[in-house]
Amino acid sequence: MHMQKYNRLTIKLGFRLAAPHTWAASVIPAIFGCVYCLFKGYSLNICQIIALILASILMQSSVNTLNDYIDYKKGTDKISDTLERSDAVLLYENINPKDALALGLGYLAIATIIGFVLILTIKSLIPLYIGLIGALAVVFYSGGKTPISYLPIGEFVSGFVMGGLIPMGCVAVATGEWNLWVLLFSIPMIISIGLILMTNNTCDIEKDIEANRKTLSVIIGREKARKIYKLHIKIWIVSLWVLPIFLIGKVGILCAVLTHFTARPAMLWMMDSPLDQENRIKQMKTVLKANVMANGSYIITIIAGIIINAIK
């Protein structure tokens, strides 16, 4: 029996499977959560901050790798699609899918170990509960008989887990308590991370229909999806104008100013984006850039608030 010969899974290819170009969706919420703790005066040391950011990256790397594995096994990605090599490593590099599966689970295992070490530094199990929710989301997003990525709740789940639970986990490590207020102030991250997935899903409508995926964009169609997309961009912008002021006072106006000069071009382009397969690569790069610029402006504004409070 002829055995297919695969290329070796190198460190470089393993890194590419982790899709570092998408890490902004996990790094920014983690940094926001840590900065939020510092602003509120919650105890969080440098080792805990590094561990929280690293665990967040590893969990996203697990999602990216496992999703690539599932797409490859189901044959949803094709060379003929508008894909960069970084979007379909298994497809282009001829890696044994079993190695990719093991790597994805390995990323998740290391993130879990880091989480347990963090829990040992405090006396509360609340971070454990938050971490378990995140881990289950990672597994069921790509795995199971009907993965979350095949359902019309993908945008909400990814936005809430990464944009909301990551900051909440940071606060839980610092305080040992549930903190729902941080979810309110995490709305810009929740919305914008949901928009990353909605960009991908709306561009991939035709491909997803063929793969029998029931994403939100597939169900409502491209035109309605574009209307919802534009509405959420507007809500995202308003949240970046209002929430920083509620959080840190008048200094919060700085966020609106920074967002205008850094993220406005990307956001305006998103508003007019056709969200089609032909322009998929540019659209994905633009939404990621907007996330970094806009939510980065939010974080910088909070840091400014910390500095001003320290001077006082």
Side-chain angles (χ1 to χ4, degrees):
M1 184 177 178
H2 177 71
M3 297 291 289
Q4 182 177 351
K5 187 176 181 180
Y6 293 105
N7 293 328
R8 186 168 62 90
L9 178 58
T10 62
I11 293 175
K12 181 179 179 179
L13 290 176
F15 188 68
R16 281 175 56 191
L17 278 167
H21 61 286
T22 69
W23 285 355
S26 57
V27 172
I28 288 177
I31 294 175
F32 168 79
C34 294
V35 170
Y36 179 89
C37 289
L38 295 176
F39 178 77
K40 288 291 186 179
Y42 303 148
S43 177
L44 203 61
N45 61 51
I46 188 64
C47 291
Q48 289 173 321
I49 290 172
I50 293 171
L52 284 164
I53 294 173
L54 184 58
S56 299
I57 290 173
L58 285 165
M59 290 191 76
Q60 187 182 1
S61 298
S62 177
V63 171
N64 292 338
T65 305
L66 294 176
N67 204 44
D68 218 14
Y69 166 79
I70 295 296
D71 284 347
Y72 179 83
K73 293 294 289 183
K74 293 189 176 184
T76 56
D77 287 339
K78 300 179 179 66
I79 296 291
S80 58
D81 294 331
T82 309
L83 294 171
E84 290 188 315
R85 297 186 78 89
S86 58
D87 286 332
V89 179
L90 284 171
L91 189 65
Y92 283 102
E93 306 298 341
N94 192 35
I95 301 168
N96 190 329
K98 291 182 180 179
D99 291 343
L101 174 61
L103 179 65
L105 294 175
Y107 284 139
L108 181 59
I110 297 172
T112 302
I113 291 170
I114 292 173
F116 277 117
V117 172
L118 277 170
I119 291 167
L120 292 176
T121 67
I122 59 178
K123 297 180 181 180
S124 172
L125 291 178
I126 290 176
L128 173 63
Y129 303 144
I130 295 173
L132 285 174
I133 294 171
L136 288 173
V138 169
V139 172
F140 288 108
Y141 183 82
S142 301
K145 186 176 180 181
T146 307
I148 292 172
S149 62
Y150 277 61
L151 299 173
I153 58 172
E155 287 86 352
F156 171 77
V157 172
S158 63
F160 178 74
V161 171
M162 299 179 72
L165 284 190
I166 288 177
M168 182 182 275
C170 295
V171 175
V173 168
T175 65
E177 300 174 353
W178 294 101
N179 188 314
L180 296 180
W181 279 108
V182 72
L183 282 181
L184 171 65
F185 292 110
S186 298
I187 285 175
M189 266 72 64
I190 294 172
I191 293 173
S192 59
I193 291 171
L195 284 171
I196 293 175
L197 186 59
M198 193 169 190
T199 302
N200 181 74
N201 287 348
T202 309
C203 290
D204 286 348
I205 284 178
E206 291 79 13
K207 189 173 76 170
D208 287 344
I209 290 174
E210 186 179 340
N212 201 31
R213 274 181 166 157
K214 304 297 182 183
T215 65
L216 178 62
S217 297
V218 166
I219 291 174
I220 66 177
R222 180 168 279 112
E223 286 310 307
K224 288 184 179 178
R226 288 186 70 227
K227 290 179 181 178
I228 293 174
Y229 189 77
K230 290 181 180 181
L231 175 62
H232 279 83
I233 293 172
K234 292 175 182 177
I235 296 172
W236 179 21
I237 293 170
V238 172
S239 71
L240 287 166
W241 290 346
V242 175
L243 290 176
I245 296 173
F246 275 103
L247 180 61
I248 63 179
K250 293 180 181 179
V251 182
I253 297 172
L254 176 63
C255 186
V257 176
L258 290 174
T259 301
H260 177 81
F261 286 105
T262 61
R264 184 171 177 268
M267 287 177 161
L268 288 176
W269 195 90
M270 287 170 64
M271 291 287 288
D272 294 327
S273 172
L275 296 177
D276 57 9
Q277 185 66 28
E278 184 179 352
N279 296 283
R280 179 183 179 278
I281 293 173
K282 182 177 181 180
Q283 289 160 156
M284 288 302 297
K285 288 181 177 179
T286 303
V287 70
L288 286 167
K289 180 180 178 180
N291 264 261
V292 172
M293 295 298 184
N295 295 332
S297 295
Y298 189 13
I299 291 169
I300 291 171
T301 301
I302 299 173
I303 292 173
I306 294 171
I307 294 171
I308 290 172
N309 285 346
I311 294 173
K312 290 179 179 179

